[in-house]
Amino acid sequence: MTIKIDSKNKFSLPVVGMSCAACAVKIEKSLSKVRGVQHVSVNYAAQQALVEVDEDSAPFSEIVQSVKSAGYDVRTVKSTLKIEGMHCASCVGRVEKALQKLPGVLDATVNLNLEEASVRYVPELVSLSDMKATVREIGYQVVEEPEVSISDWDKIQKQKSYNILRKKLIFASILTLPVLILSMFPQLPLFREISQQMLWIILLILTTPVVLFSGRQFYTSAWKTFRHLTADMNTLIAIGTGSAYIYSILNTILPTMFPQELRHVYYDTAAVIITLILFGRLLEARAKGKTSEAIKRLLGLQPKTARVIRDHQEVDIPIQEVHVGDVLRVRPGEKIPVDGLIQEGRSVIDESMISGEPIPVAKDPGDSVIGGTVNKTGSFLFIASRVGKNTVLAQIVKLVQNAQSSKAPIQRLADIIAGYFVPVVILIAIVTLLIWLIFGPAPQLTYALITFITVLIIACPCALGLATPTSIMVGTGRGAELGILIKSAESLETAHKITSVIFDKTGTLSIGKPAVTDLVPVNGYTENELLSLAASLEKTSEHPLAEAILKKAEERQLALSAVQDFQAIPGLGIKGTINGNKVIIGNEKLIQEQHVDFSEVDQVQTKLLDHAKSVIFVAVGKNIAGIIAVADLLKPESESAVRRLRKAGLKTYMITGDNPKVARIIAEQLGIDEYYAEVLPDQKAQYVKQLQEKGEVVAMVGDGINDAPALAQANVGIAIGTGTDIAIEASDITLIRGDLNGVAVALELSIATIRNIKQNLFGSFFYNSLGIPVAAGILYPFFGILLSPMIAAAAMAASSVTVVSNALRLKRFKPS
């Protein structure tokens, strides 16, 4: 199975510095202005920008620069390649030019004296292996060094960021605790002898490192967004804590500036808010890390090394050095390193981690094996057919990553709201400040400042921004674990609206290959004798049904006889001489023409035809020897799959090229609502369109090349993973193991994911709709309740963590 993911014109950029959905909107606007950029989708939760460009797009460096100009950065890594064979400045220029041409390389500098190339690049887009291959292609040698995989590198970077955040939190907590105690209990015996002015100076000394070190990221991010005349989550935090901190400093250093009743400090507010938000972000980072566990598990399937046959010796080499055509050895219990075809030996392979199918699959010479699966029993040799980014595992990972980076329509609405959210909150905070200054009780400035800070801090565009992408990430990841590959967030959202499902018959509902289902011998012949006669004659035939008869004879290990005077009669059958007897095989018309009496099998024939089976007559001389029934058998799970969909209230349709009688029988067997018979391949898309014009939201399930137009026309195209590459490429969802029950599972997963998204969005809107008025002091005139900025900070942190935690519940999704 090959899954074609995307063209060279579509790639994901790992973005650094996003703190809410408003950031995603800003980056989208900036990237959309770059020449040649066709489509941009920025996912805040995944910290990824999915960019689609045309052939005449700006250089990659300009695309990265546009992200930077918006106040953010692209996560890059710097590596050094040891290169041999360079002799002059011309060599340096060649190497630099070749490396800089690679998509994903930002800059490359070659040092001739050190024989090194220093390269800065985006590891998600280009690997060290790609660079090494490029250098070798232009005639130089690269000294091999261990390569860190993208998954390991990403893990290292995330762990590094997590550790920095944790250190800042610990540092802030150590200093905030005494600030809180000194602020809340200044009359304790221990502090009673300290003057108020000295107490404030101590608080200033303790709070300043919290603000300038632990909270530095909020202020630097706010400054960057301010320079671009925008605002985000960090702007709210920076203005809120900054106002409290600066007001406190002025009261501490220049107390005479304020009347006696306004001489207050809010160091505890600034310190506690920063500490609580850091704590919330640490919990959020930890929870968000779990949303991509499916990807990590997939990446972890590939072994780090492979055992290759070189010069008749078995050599262990890094997985990145395996090339197409290499012969590899796999022993029992080992993971298969890359995709390939078995050359020698037999085994049983556990493919459950790729297909979700728990039963191990027997493999013989000539069978394909998939990288990342586990060899259970025998040792075997296989030839590598796909390596690196082309393996099934790599393509599945890329497919899931792209889906997680894409946006559902429901998310675009949330992002638009989030884009206006921060400026609106700042406006509400300013209005609140003015209202309290004009109409509030004494001391007005104190109340005004508290409510101003509280409104800024309690507002949480972060929860709004996380509501959809976290659910999409977990949902698509869970789908991959169940053997369902969802190509985009839009497909996942649309799937829950499906009202009708159209199945292609051949290869989708049926196995796709004819097989012998019945042997009915008469006139003293046994089943084996009947089958042997038919197979002996059919071995020379090119008829599609001949393969089914020969396969059945092979299964029974029957000896075949020599045939003389073989003759094919177009549209009717074949005849020949076996052991001196004239043998005829064909349809009813041929038997009648040859004046053979078949009355003994007439009733059986009618019964078999009523079950949509093809009947083949076998006659020896003028006597009927029996009949053989051949049919394209239905898949064992077809009936249960259709039943599940009908139980869910969906209409089911079947589309087939068979005659109406056969189509009706199969539809009745499976319980399908309606069928379309004698449909030509190029007409399938028209039937999908007809249903759509009636207001139906249609899913098309198919496997063949001729299904591709219908799959593309459908609202959601679902391809069978055992089908053709073209069908898979045209689809929105791929069922890896080909089990039709996956259709119902995909729809159930979509419903569960959309339900989860709606819960998150409702929670986010409800929280902000309730929290902001309370923070502004709406309860004060009635109940005398005024929310503390510190409680607001805790509530804001909790809202984000709650959204991510709710999304993580999808990991426990189980099909009905």
Side-chain angles (χ1 to χ4, degrees):
M1 176 181 69
T2 306
I3 302 170
K4 202 166 182 180
I5 306 303
D6 52 19
S7 66
K8 292 179 181 177
N9 299 337
K10 197 173 183 182
F11 54 85
S12 291
L13 284 177
V15 180
V16 178
M18 286 194 287
S19 58
C20 63
C23 304
V25 175
K26 279 163 54 186
I27 295 167
E28 283 183 354
K29 286 179 181 176
S30 182
L31 282 169
S32 297
K33 293 175 184 176
V34 178
R35 174 173 56 84
V37 171
Q38 298 290 302
H39 178 72
V40 183
S41 176
V42 179
N43 188 310
Y44 160 53
Q47 300 283 297
Q48 294 271 338
L50 190 64
V51 185
E52 191 172 345
V53 297
D54 61 24
E55 298 293 338
D56 190 35
S57 69
F60 181 71
S61 56
E62 281 188 34
I63 293 170
V64 172
Q65 188 55 44
S66 74
V67 176
K68 291 184 175 182
S69 67
Y72 305 90
D73 206 349
V74 172
R75 193 170 61 204
T76 59
V77 67
K78 201 168 186 178
S79 294
T80 302
L81 298 177
K82 296 289 287 183
I83 301 172
E84 294 178 345
M86 295 187 296
H87 305 291
C88 60
S90 175
C91 299
V92 170
R94 283 186 69 200
V95 174
E96 285 182 346
K97 195 173 179 182
L99 288 171
Q100 285 168 354
K101 276 185 179 178
L102 289 171
V105 172
L106 288 172
D107 55 66
T109 308
V110 176
N111 187 311
L112 184 61
N113 294 329
L114 296 175
E115 293 188 310
E116 285 181 352
S118 181
V119 190
R120 191 162 65 92
Y121 62 99
V122 180
E124 282 86 349
L125 302 182
V126 63
S127 68
L128 279 174
S129 297
D130 297 330
M131 294 180 225
K132 290 172 185 176
T134 300
V135 171
R136 290 189 183 106
E137 279 174 14
I138 59 172
Y140 301 97
Q141 294 301 313
V142 180
V143 179
E144 290 295 346
E145 293 177 349
E147 180 176 346
V148 178
S149 67
I150 292 175
S151 58
D152 290 342
W153 181 84
D154 190 54
K155 189 177 178 181
I156 290 165
Q157 294 302 311
K158 284 183 177 175
Q159 189 60 46
K160 194 175 175 183
S161 300
Y162 183 83
N163 290 340
I164 290 170
L165 195 59
R166 191 161 59 93
K167 284 175 184 174
K168 284 186 175 183
L169 174 63
I170 292 168
F171 180 79
S173 301
I174 291 168
L175 294 177
T176 299
L177 187 61
V179 168
L180 199 57
I181 293 169
L182 284 167
S183 300
M184 295 182 72
F185 308 106
Q187 298 306 314
L188 287 174
L190 188 64
F191 313 128
R192 203 174 288 164
E193 301 301 320
I194 302 173
S195 68
Q196 187 186 65
Q197 195 64 23
M198 182 54 67
L199 189 69
W200 287 0
I201 291 169
I202 292 168
L203 289 171
L204 171 61
I205 293 167
L206 290 170
T207 304
T208 299
V210 176
V211 172
L212 299 184
F213 172 69
S214 294
R216 182 172 177 268
Q217 66 205 59
F218 305 126
Y219 303 104
T220 53
S221 295
W223 173 245
K224 284 178 184 175
T225 56
F226 173 73
R227 283 191 306 163
H228 293 90
L229 302 177
T230 56
D232 65 8
M233 176 81 179
N234 295 304
T235 309
L236 301 179
I237 298 167
I239 294 173
T241 57
S243 302
Y245 181 63
I246 291 167
Y247 182 82
S248 301
I249 288 176
L250 292 173
N251 263 298
T252 304
I253 299 172
L254 303 167
T256 53
M257 277 182 63
F258 302 93
Q260 186 65 41
E261 67 273 12
L262 296 180
R263 290 179 191 173
H264 300 285
V265 292
Y266 299 99
Y267 291 117
D268 55 336
T269 300
V272 170
I273 286 172
I274 287 170
T275 304
L276 285 172
I277 291 172
L278 286 173
F279 179 62
R281 289 203 173 176
L282 191 77
L283 292 176
E284 186 184 313
R286 196 171 176 181
K288 276 164 67 179
K290 292 179 181 177
T291 63
S292 56
E293 278 183 359
I295 289 286
K296 291 174 189 171
R297 275 197 288 272
L298 286 169
L299 288 168
L301 293 177
Q302 190 175 57
K304 297 282 191 287
T305 60
R307 188 173 295 107
V308 181
I309 309 298
R310 295 272 167 88
D311 300 322
H312 307 290
Q313 297 289 323
E314 293 183 7
V315 184
D316 286 344
I317 62 170
I319 192 79
Q320 294 83 9
E321 294 177 30
V322 177
H323 302 293
V324 173
D326 280 346
V327 178
L328 298 91
R329 165 78 68 185
V330 182
R331 292 172 182 161
E334 292 181 341
K335 285 183 180 178
I336 297 167
V338 296
D339 297 357
L341 296 170
I342 293 181
Q343 184 184 46
E344 182 185 305
R346 287 177 169 78
S347 187
V348 174
I349 310 292
D350 178 3
E351 296 184 342
S352 59
M353 62 285 296
I354 297 290
S355 67
E357 181 60 56
I359 302 169
V361 182
K363 299 285 182 176
D364 297 309
D367 288 342
S368 62
V369 290
I370 300 172
T373 55
V374 180
N375 180 29
K376 299 292 284 184
T377 54
S379 174
F380 62 88
L381 294 174
F382 76 99
I383 302 170
S385 60
R386 287 192 292 265
V387 300
K389 294 179 181 177
N390 297 318
T391 63
V392 168
L393 179 60
Q395 290 172 347
I396 289 172
V397 169
K398 186 65 178 171
L399 192 70
V400 177
Q401 284 175 332
N402 280 355
Q404 293 185 342
S405 298
S406 64
K407 285 191 179 183
I410 197 171
Q411 185 182 344
R412 297 187 190 282
L413 177 62
D415 284 354
I416 289 167
I417 294 167
Y420 293 103
F421 185 87
V422 174
V424 169
V425 168
I426 292 172
L427 186 63
I428 292 170
I430 292 169
V431 171
T432 301
L433 178 77
L434 293 173
I435 289 172
W436 279 92
L437 281 173
I438 298 166
F439 304 107
Q444 286 94 336
L445 183 59
T446 300
Y447 282 113
L449 188 63
I450 288 171
T451 51
F452 173 74
I453 294 168
T454 308
V455 168
L456 290 172
I457 297 303
I458 202 166
C460 191
C462 200
L464 193 61
L466 287 168
T468 304
T470 46
S471 298
I472 293 291
M473 287 179 74
V474 181
T476 51
R478 181 65 183 132
E481 291 173 346
L482 294 168
I484 300 164
L485 295 184
I486 300 159
K487 290 189 180 179
S488 70
E490 189 171 354
S491 307
L492 185 63
E493 181 177 341
T494 306
H496 90 285
K497 302 174 185 174
I498 294 297
T499 58
S500 298
V501 181
I502 301 178
F503 291 95
D504 171 56
K505 190 202 76 129
T506 306
T508 303
L509 290 170
S510 68
I511 293 169
K513 288 184 178 180
V516 173
T517 58
D518 301 88
L519 292 164
V520 186
V522 292
N523 291 327
Y525 287 93
T526 64
E527 284 190 3
N528 284 351
E529 286 171 343
L530 177 67
L531 186 58
S532 178
L533 280 171
S536 298
L537 204 55
E538 291 283 15
K539 70 181 177 183
T540 325
S541 171
E542 295 178 358
H543 194 277
L545 301 183
E547 188 181 341
I549 292 171
L550 288 166
K551 188 177 180 182
K552 190 70 173 179
E554 188 181 333
E555 285 174 7
R556 295 197 176 190
Q557 299 178 335
L558 300 179
L560 303 186
S561 305
V563 178
Q564 286 85 38
D565 306 323
F566 176 84
Q567 183 186 353
I569 306 164
L572 297 175
I574 54 177
K575 60 183 179 178
T577 303
I578 298 176
N579 299 328
N581 296 314
K582 181 182 174 185
V583 179
I584 304 164
I585 299 177
N587 58 22
E588 185 179 339
K589 189 177 179 182
L590 177 63
I591 295 298
Q592 286 175 337
E593 285 183 2
Q594 297 296 318
H595 306 293
V596 175
D597 179 16
F598 60 92
S599 56
E600 280 190 63
V601 293
D602 196 29
Q603 287 186 346
V604 179
Q605 178 202 198
T606 304
K607 188 177 177 183
L608 292 171
L609 289 173
D610 286 342
H611 285 83
K613 295 177 181 180
S614 299
V615 175
I616 300 168
F617 291 85
V618 181
V620 179
K622 297 293 181 183
N623 299 314
I624 190 78
I627 55 176
I628 299 173
V630 177
D632 179 10
L633 294 174
L634 294 172
K635 291 179 179 176
E637 75 275 8
S638 292
E639 189 177 349
S640 63
V642 172
R643 188 168 59 246
R644 283 178 73 172
L645 293 171
R646 292 189 69 189
K647 193 175 178 182
L650 302 177
K651 296 176 189 171
T652 54
Y653 298 82
M654 181 182 73
I655 204 161
T656 178
D658 286 336
N659 64 63
K661 184 178 180 182
V662 171
R664 178 182 56 77
I665 292 166
I666 292 172
E668 287 174 355
Q669 281 180 355
L670 297 176
I672 286 174
D673 296 310
E674 292 183 40
Y675 61 87
Y676 303 116
E678 295 180 341
V679 177
L680 296 174
D682 58 351
Q683 295 175 334
K684 291 182 180 180
Q686 293 173 22
Y687 283 94
V688 174
K689 197 172 181 181
Q690 283 175 18
L691 283 177
Q692 289 171 328
E693 287 169 353
K694 292 177 183 176
E696 300 286 344
V697 182
V698 182
M700 172 70 195
V701 188
D703 74 313
I705 291 172
N706 57 29
D707 296 324
L711 289 167
Q713 173 66 41
N715 300 91
V716 176
I718 302 175
I720 305 299
T722 51
T724 65
D725 294 348
I726 293 173
I728 291 168
E729 189 180 349
S731 68
D732 303 298
I733 296 173
T734 302
L735 309 179
I736 299 178
R737 51 180 151 156
D739 186 341
L740 284 177
N741 282 302
V743 177
V745 175
L747 301 186
E748 286 174 19
L749 179 62
S750 170
I751 291 166
T753 304
I754 297 304
R755 188 191 304 124
N756 193 272
I757 288 170
K758 287 177 178 176
Q759 289 167 354
N760 283 346
L761 287 173
F762 174 78
S764 302
F765 280 117
F766 180 77
Y767 164 81
N768 284 298
S769 302
L770 185 68
I772 292 173
V774 172
I778 198 169
L779 298 178
Y780 188 81
F782 307 103
F783 306 104
I785 297 171
L786 203 61
L787 201 64
S788 162
M790 289 178 274
I791 294 173
M796 187 268 283
S799 67
S800 295
V801 176
T802 302
V803 163
V804 178
S805 301
N806 185 52
L808 287 173
R809 290 191 309 111
L810 283 170
K811 289 173 68 178
R812 299 196 296 270
F813 167 81
K814 289 182 180 177
S816 62

